[in-house]
Amino acid sequence: MTYDPTGYLLLTPIDQEAPARVRRLRQLGLGDRPDPAFDAFADRLAEVTRAPYSMVNFIDENRQFFAGLHTPTGTHSGTDLGAAASSGAVSRYMARDHGYCPHVVVRRKALVLEDVCDYPRFAGNPVVDEIGIRSYLGAPLIDRTGTALGTICVVDTEPRPWGRAGLETIKSLAAELVEQIHRREDHAI
């Protein structure tokens, strides 16, 4: 795990499974280009959770790639996620040490942060100041080989009371997307 220069704040967990994940993602043909089916899934995820932003995220050793991405349409202020995404600060790529999905992949468990500022471990993440993220809900995409391919997640620029219902929803939708990935693999064989 990496720490800030003072040596106290845990930043991004070390990911021992990254090389195997990258091999599996390549085998599945995932993680390097936008996918209309994943964009549609991200749209549905945003609709179900009523979150303004949602992603289908695949993670390699150095970066995260949003193969599916939903952002609201319309005018955005300079500090919100949509403006950052449209300016290229977020786009479809994000550094591995930004955001919370790398924690979800390494932990292999869903993560609920109703207000990231309530958690010193997560409040210092660059996405808080650079993008304005205040709440996060994400679940791992663990395939039939046991590989955590990435995550699905939703974020908001305001604190959100996701609660147990949100946790169950994100886990259920992650399982649904994994099944879609398995069907793709089965049809490609």
Side-chain angles (χ1 to χ4, degrees):
M1 299 190 177
T2 57
Y3 295 85
D4 72 1
T6 64
Y8 296 107
L9 179 64
L10 176 66
L11 297 175
T12 306
I14 291 177
D15 184 359
Q16 300 291 343
E17 296 180 3
R21 176 180 316 104
V22 171
R23 283 191 299 276
R24 181 68 174 140
L25 288 170
R26 285 187 184 135
Q27 180 184 25
L28 294 168
L30 301 174
D32 61 355
R33 65 187 173 279
D35 186 309
F38 293 146
D39 282 339
F41 192 90
D43 291 343
R44 183 166 158 252
L45 181 58
E47 181 180 331
V48 167
T49 62
R50 297 185 178 165
Y53 306 96
S54 63
M55 298 89 164
V56 174
N57 186 8
F58 298 114
I59 301 172
D60 67 21
E61 295 101 327
N62 303 307
R63 68 181 185 185
Q64 303 173 68
F65 177 71
F66 304 128
L69 179 63
H70 171 87
T71 61
T73 58
T75 306
H76 304 292
S77 70
T79 59
D80 88 356
L81 186 61
S86 65
S87 72
V90 175
S91 71
R92 295 249 181 197
Y93 295 94
M94 185 180 286
R96 192 180 165 281
D97 63 349
H98 283 52
Y100 309 107
C101 291
H103 295 272
V104 171
V105 166
V106 171
R107 290 171 17 124
R108 304 172 67 84
K109 291 183 181 179
L111 178 63
V112 179
L113 300 171
E114 294 183 344
D115 186 342
V116 298
C117 294
D118 289 343
Y119 303 89
R121 175 180 184 181
F122 298 116
N125 194 285
V127 298
V128 174
D129 292 331
E130 293 175 14
I131 302 172
I133 291 177
R134 286 294 302 272
S135 61
Y136 172 91
L137 177 63
L141 299 170
I142 301 174
D143 79 347
R144 66 178 101 194
T145 69
T147 304
L149 302 172
T151 67
I152 60 169
C153 70
V154 294
V155 298
D156 201 337
T157 57
E158 300 293 329
R160 292 281 301 265
W162 303 111
R164 176 148 306 279
L167 176 64
E168 294 306 318
T169 297
I170 201 78
K171 289 166 58 176
S172 173
L173 288 166
E176 183 181 316
L177 184 59
V178 167
E179 285 304 312
Q180 287 182 23
I181 292 169
H182 290 162
R183 283 193 299 275
R184 277 184 178 200
E185 180 180 31
D186 292 343
H187 287 107
I189 296 176

